[in-house]
Amino acid sequence: MAVKAPRGTHDVLPSDSYKWRYVEETADRICRSAGYKEIRFPTFEETELFQRGVGDTTDIVQKEMYTFTDKGERSLTLRPEGTASAVRLCVENGLLTGALPVKAYYKITAFRYEKPQQGRYREFNQFGMELYGASAPTADAEMISLAEDFIKSLGIKGAKLRINSIGCPECRKGYHKALQEYFSQYKEELCETCNTRLERNPMRILDCKSPICKNITKNAPIITDFLCDDCRAHYEELKALLDNCGTTYEEDPGIVRGLDYYTRTVFELIHDKTGLALLAGGRYDGLVKEIDGKMDVPGIGFASGLERLVSVMEEEGLSFGEEPTTDLYIASIGENALRFSSALARKLRNCGINVETDIMARSLKAQMKYADKIAAKYSVVIGDSETENGEAELKNMLNGERSKVKLDESLAIIIRKG
Ligand code: ATP
Ligand code: MG
């Protein structure tokens, strides 16, 4: 039997790849507009990085990681997200002891052993932004605005921004207690995983996807009733800043996020129709210390799933920019012309225009059929006399107009002018 792509993975076909590039280039543009620079890091890291950086009470670490032992007996894990690696990169390369803030972004594939379904894959693409060294609410407001601008720049309209503050470890002490008291009444009904969460990290229960746990969660105490004065002031100022720059949001005390080291601000952009999170993020002031052991540098960021963006854009019939096209198809008759054409094609490509020519030794009729199929903007037919004269008729494939042209670099100028 033929080999198939593994469950939960997907291919991107030649006819669709420009859509992905469009989304990625939009991300690049948003990042450039605010001084964020791209970082790249390995596909796999030492397993310990994610145990510490994502947190070992999370779903990701407990159930979803692709962990393996390599031939040197090291435990390695395919990255399930980007933030832990981004922090590791900054710490290891001394970026956080230099000029702050550090503004970085990444475009990665991430790996999670999840149940594949709509918008949920085992290998998926993420775009993420990271900001280290800024603790004021202005940083949170900038990050949230950039996230919203990214989604808006893609043309997606039906996305709602939800925000919450989950406070700091201090405010969470009281909150954990209140949650433990509340959820203890439902010990029998909660799922097995949530029962283990009850002791170690009861906030995780609020993020459970099981319908029974979700229902129990509805009447649970909310974090915003437990915020300390500093965290409350930070949250109030963030909301004032968002109001001031015209960002509409909903407060949702149910958002706690899937990572252990989030502090204060958390946010999600949810797509109306599908209910899927297009993007999610928050502040993680404890993360650098967790990974570095010494330095204490605040951080904030978000990550967005590109599969969800592309599919929502397709469903909504949004534009992905122009599909790349062939400017010129050079057809040839006979062996001399074929050689001439392939040299001309190379010259013109080096002048920056997109050129295709026959590499299948096809008949003229079949070549012209191909030129139609690829929707070439212009075509030219080269036979023996054209080869000798160095001139031919250029045909505009859209309106059928023909004009005499020289078969050299000057052709590139004519085609570029259109
Ligand atoms: P969810 O609640 O949907 O499981 P999450 O909290 O696990 O999301 P994050 O870890 O914050 O998600 O990842 C950020 C973004 O990456 C999500 O908002 C989503 O767009 C995307 N994403 C997460 N997991 C997957 C997946 N398995 N397949 C495709 N995209 C994903
Ligand atoms: Mg998840």
Side-chain angles (χ1 to χ4, degrees):
M1 207 178 72
V3 178
K4 288 197 174 133
R7 187 164 145 77
T9 66
H10 68 92
D11 299 316
V12 176
L13 302 182
S15 53
D16 286 332
S17 49
Y18 79 103
K19 299 178 182 173
W20 293 78
R21 206 168 39 245
Y22 179 76
V23 174
E24 286 165 5
E25 281 171 2
T26 304
D28 290 332
R29 187 160 48 76
I30 293 290
C31 291
R32 228 180 0 253
S33 78
Y36 288 71
K37 301 219 168 97
E38 189 179 4
I39 51 172
R40 298 186 184 205
F41 40 79
T43 309
F44 54 85
E45 300 267 5
E46 287 181 20
T47 301
E48 194 192 335
L49 175 70
F50 302 116
Q51 285 167 341
R52 293 200 342 221
V54 178
D56 47 19
T57 66
T58 59
D59 271 0
I60 294 180
V61 171
Q62 286 185 342
K63 304 190 237 171
E64 299 173 358
M65 293 210 300
Y66 280 91
T67 298
F68 60 98
T69 308
D70 78 356
K71 292 196 169 71
E73 299 297 318
R74 299 170 194 88
S75 177
L76 300 171
T77 294
L78 299 183
R79 56 187 177 209
E81 53 103 50
T83 298
S85 301
V87 169
R88 201 248 334 118
L89 176 151
C90 288
V91 168
E92 193 169 333
N93 293 282
L95 303 187
L96 301 178
T97 52
L100 296 175
V102 172
K103 295 172 165 186
Y105 75 99
Y106 57 80
K107 292 177 288 187
I108 59 168
T109 48
F111 306 84
R112 295 183 194 176
Y113 193 79
E114 298 203 68
K115 195 165 157 235
Q117 52 198 287
Q118 194 205 7
R120 205 171 283 288
Y121 294 86
R122 289 182 173 170
E123 180 182 15
F124 59 100
N125 287 268
Q126 273 192 341
F127 152 58
M129 293 181 77
E130 304 279 333
L131 170 59
Y132 304 108
S135 56
T138 37
D140 308 51
E142 176 174 290
M143 191 51 84
I144 292 174
S145 310
L146 288 166
E148 193 188 39
D149 289 343
F150 170 58
I151 299 296
K152 281 200 172 146
S153 299
L154 295 173
I156 298 173
K157 290 197 184 71
K160 288 242 156 56
L161 173 64
R162 294 197 194 141
I163 63 167
N164 188 25
S165 173
I166 56 170
C168 62
E170 269 317 298
C171 1
R172 253 177 262 164
K173 277 184 197 153
Y175 185 50
H176 277 187
K177 246 205 194 123
L179 282 180
Q180 274 162 344
E181 262 166 38
Y182 173 79
F183 284 120
S184 295
Q185 316 167 66
Y186 303 99
K187 236 174 147 44
E188 257 86 89
E189 290 147 74
L190 289 174
C191 74
E192 212 179 299
T193 327
C194 282
N195 261 295
T196 66
R197 288 167 173 151
L198 196 51
E199 282 307 308
R200 291 192 59 197
N201 194 346
M203 267 173 78
R204 279 274 83 72
I205 301 175
L206 303 177
D207 213 22
C208 185
K209 302 230 162 31
S210 123
I212 298 170
C213 299
K214 260 191 172 162
N215 203 32
I216 297 173
T217 295
K218 274 187 194 147
N219 297 317
I222 58 172
I223 178 72
T224 27
D225 291 340
F226 291 81
L227 295 182
C228 67
D229 291 347
D230 284 353
C231 288
R232 182 172 306 282
H234 188 277
Y235 189 40
E236 292 305 321
E237 179 59 13
L238 167 64
K239 287 188 280 180
L241 287 162
L242 291 176
D243 291 338
N244 188 50
C245 68
T247 301
T248 36
Y249 56 85
E250 252 170 54
E251 289 181 72
D252 181 349
I255 307 178
V256 292
R257 308 293 308 117
L259 291 92
D260 266 0
Y261 297 101
Y262 275 101
T263 48
R264 297 188 167 172
T265 311
V266 287
F267 60 96
E268 292 180 348
L269 265 158
I270 308 288
H271 186 239
D272 275 353
K273 257 191 241 150
T274 54
L276 286 171
L278 298 180
L279 172 159
R283 176 169 279 288
Y284 22 83
D285 288 349
L287 183 57
V288 171
K289 187 143 193 218
E290 185 62 39
I291 288 173
D292 179 54
K294 294 189 288 281
M295 253 187 299
D296 203 355
V297 179
I300 184 165
F302 70 81
S304 178
L306 303 197
E307 280 74 8
R308 297 183 187 181
L309 296 177
V310 171
S311 83
V312 162
M313 289 174 71
E314 280 175 341
E315 271 166 38
E316 293 186 1
L318 300 177
S319 162
F320 289 94
E322 255 184 55
E323 215 172 328
T325 48
T326 299
D327 299 313
L328 173 68
Y329 183 79
I330 307 176
S332 53
I333 311 164
E335 242 168 65
N336 283 341
L338 191 63
R339 281 193 207 117
F340 183 92
S341 299
S342 79
L344 179 64
R346 184 177 189 191
K347 261 188 230 161
L348 294 172
R349 285 173 190 150
N350 285 331
C351 294
I353 66 165
N354 304 339
V355 185
E356 290 193 54
T357 187
D358 181 42
I359 39 178
M360 303 289 289
R362 281 181 174 141
S363 70
L364 179 62
K365 196 173 156 208
Q367 291 183 54
M368 293 319 289
K369 211 169 146 190
Y370 178 77
D372 270 335
K373 192 181 132 204
I374 60 169
K377 289 182 195 145
Y378 291 91
S379 70
V380 68
V381 180
I382 299 181
D384 284 340
S385 69
E386 284 80 7
T387 315
E388 274 158 36
N389 304 338
E391 279 185 352
E393 256 193 1
L394 180 71
K395 181 180 172 191
N396 181 323
M397 301 286 279
L398 254 161
N399 59 18
E401 266 173 32
R402 289 167 193 273
S403 55
K404 246 210 160 57
V405 293
K406 280 216 171 93
L407 294 173
D408 58 21
E409 276 96 343
S410 63
L411 187 49
I413 299 167
I414 296 171
I415 287 174
R416 215 175 291 132
K417 271 191 197 148

